[in-house]
Amino acid sequence: MKYTFNILFTFLLFFEVSCTLSSHAIDESTTLVTRDSISFPIDELTYYGSKSIFQFEEKGQEYLSFLDTEHSQKIHIYDINNQELIKTIPLQKEGPNGMTALSGCHPLDLNHFIITSWNGIFWLVNDKGEIEKSYNFWENGTNFQSFDHISFSSYNYKPAIIKDSILYFSQSLLKYPRKKNDWNKIPMFAFANLSTGNIGWTELRYPLIFEEDEDFKNAQLYDPEICYTYTGENVVISLGQYDSIMVSPDFKHKSSYNAKSRYLAHAYPHLQDGQIDLFKNIQIQGKLPHYSHLMYDKYREVFYRFALMPDDNIKPFSSNPHQSFSIIILNKDYEIIGETKFPGNNYTYQLCFVGKKGLYISENNENNPRFDENKLVFRCFTLQDKNE
């Protein structure tokens, strides 16, 4: 019976996605090709594996913000063109400007940053590390279990989205346990009005993607692993175990588009069994079709969706993945125009950013023979038509 249900679920999911797709054939003529690398020096107090790196521009200049919470609590600002450190911003752990449990940093400009935390608070901070304003989603604990953690991360790509002074961020780990039909009631994003301080949820809801009820007692739970990007008009969303991507122009309505890797089998959500060993669970998940980053390249008007190849030898919590991956390229109309596969052990795919010249992926993988812990090294990849 369960096998029959899975077939039916797969068909319905395929039907849902297919109804929103264009009818013409996919032209996969575009690939990513390697170009030069860039590197930035780091000192012994800075860890190369930042969970929050973001490219930004000011007055035509291109910069990279790099939050280090592993060995220090600082923001480093790098000039991308000159490949040099131009500014370091220390963040205090105590006192009137104290911040703890940091989960991310998003640059507004060279002098202002949004710092997020795992304890329901985020801060607007200046380039001296001073808190100019703070917002508490878990004030006095009353909103705990109502609002999810706040994290502007590049490790699982979740940038800050700011539109008309309203800040948006994803919601995913809420209200355990959940029935299979609960998902279309769960908001995908919350918001904070930076002018008034008002907070709430958007009307955009998760799709009905899950086939089983969750069981909190037996720790049968599911993390949708949401990643998203923003074009300036649309928010585009990827889930870890979902073939299609979703697009919303208004944080209310959504459409689905095929974004399946040619290298992966059909992906569908799996409960994580908390009754078995954690490492075993991670290894089980590592063998399943899986998607990671979704990034928008505003310079070339394309999207990059990362697909992780099934791996029999996952190393839990490792920041040096040895598994291979591919990057699916979609055009501005969300049509697949190419896919490029990358070898394992060379890159740290979680550490990447889009710049004026192309897509930059970190080579700070300890399995890479060129690894240097004293440098942040990124390889640039650019688009090329296979027919050229």
Side-chain angles (χ1 to χ4, degrees), residues 92-346:
Q92 305 301 314
K93 294 183 179 180
E94 299 177 344
N97 293 303
M99 292 170 279
T100 59
L102 305 189
S103 64
C105 168
H106 197 99
L108 299 176
D109 54 45
L110 277 172
N111 302 312
H112 299 90
F113 307 85
I114 299 174
I115 308 296
T116 59
S117 74
W118 295 114
N119 57 16
I121 302 173
F122 71 90
W123 303 272
L124 301 183
V125 176
N126 63 26
D127 62 346
K128 298 180 178 61
E130 299 168 338
I131 297 173
E132 296 187 345
K133 200 167 185 178
S134 65
Y135 300 83
N136 190 345
F137 270 58
W138 294 351
E139 188 172 2
N140 300 321
T142 56
N143 290 329
F144 187 71
Q145 291 296 325
S146 295
F147 289 97
D148 197 0
H149 298 285
I150 305 167
S151 176
F152 295 139
S153 163
S154 58
Y155 208 72
N156 297 299
Y157 199 72
K158 300 176 183 179
I161 299 176
I162 302 177
K163 184 178 181 180
D164 300 326
S165 296
I166 297 177
L167 179 68
Y168 297 90
F169 46 90
S170 64
Q171 304 282 279
S172 60
L173 301 174
L174 294 172
K175 300 177 181 177
Y176 290 128
R178 294 161 293 205
K179 301 291 185 182
K180 62 183 180 183
N181 292 325
D182 284 345
W183 280 97
N184 66 348
K185 304 172 187 175
I186 298 175
M188 300 184 82
F189 288 84
F191 68 84
N193 190 311
L194 299 180
S195 298
T196 66
N198 292 337
I199 60 176
W201 298 278
T202 70
E203 296 182 61
L204 184 62
R205 299 295 190 259
Y206 278 90
L208 287 172
I209 60 173
F210 209 62
E211 60 181 283
E212 300 177 65
D213 292 346
E214 298 181 36
D215 185 347
F216 189 75
K217 181 178 179 181
N218 295 310
Q220 300 278 339
L221 304 173
Y222 168 65
D223 177 1
E225 298 179 87
I226 184 172
C227 293
Y228 58 87
T229 191
Y230 187 59
T231 68
E233 296 181 357
N234 298 321
V235 58
V236 187
I237 303 153
S238 171
L239 304 183
Q241 297 171 331
Y242 198 48
D243 288 334
S244 62
I245 58 174
M246 287 157 281
V247 180
S248 176
D250 55 7
F251 289 94
K252 181 178 180 180
H253 304 92
K254 63 180 181 291
S255 301
S256 295
Y257 295 84
N258 175 46
K260 181 185 177 300
S261 167
R262 71 160 75 104
Y263 300 107
L264 297 183
H266 166 65
Y268 62 92
H270 287 75
L271 284 170
Q272 296 189 20
D273 187 351
Q275 299 265 345
I276 64 176
D277 180 82
L278 175 61
F279 289 176
K280 181 67 174 177
N281 223 331
I282 292 174
Q283 290 172 342
I284 291 172
Q285 295 292 317
K287 296 178 182 179
L288 300 173
H290 199 87
Y291 295 93
S292 181
H293 285 47
L294 176 66
M295 308 177 75
Y296 178 59
D297 184 338
K298 66 180 181 180
Y299 303 103
R300 286 153 283 272
E301 295 188 304
V302 297
F303 298 87
Y304 306 118
R305 191 189 197 197
F306 288 52
L308 308 185
M309 301 297 106
D311 193 333
D312 291 329
N313 190 27
I314 288 287
K315 297 179 180 179
F317 312 116
S318 172
S319 58
N320 299 288
H322 64 272
Q323 69 194 114
S324 59
F325 63 96
S326 72
I327 298 179
I328 305 157
I329 308 161
L330 300 101
N331 64 19
K332 63 182 180 179
D333 297 316
Y334 313 107
E335 300 165 323
I336 297 174
I337 58 174
E339 183 172 4
T340 304
K341 196 170 184 180
F342 293 77
N345 294 317
N346 287 5

Side-chain angles (χ1 to χ4, degrees), residues 17-66:
V17 175
S18 300
C19 287
T20 62
L21 304 183
S22 302
S23 58
H24 59 273
I26 296 173
D27 176 20
E28 295 194 36
S29 60
T30 304
T31 188
L32 285 164
V33 294
T34 183
R35 301 301 185 194
D36 294 338
S37 65
I38 60 173
S39 65
F40 307 105
I42 54 175
D43 58 36
E44 60 184 9
L45 298 178
T46 301
Y47 178 57
Y48 65 85
S50 172
K51 300 295 191 295
S52 187
I53 59 173
F54 289 102
Q55 178 262 18
F56 67 104
E57 290 184 56
E58 187 164 319
K59 297 180 180 178
Q61 283 290 105
E62 193 176 16
Y63 301 98
L64 183 71
S65 74
F66 181 98

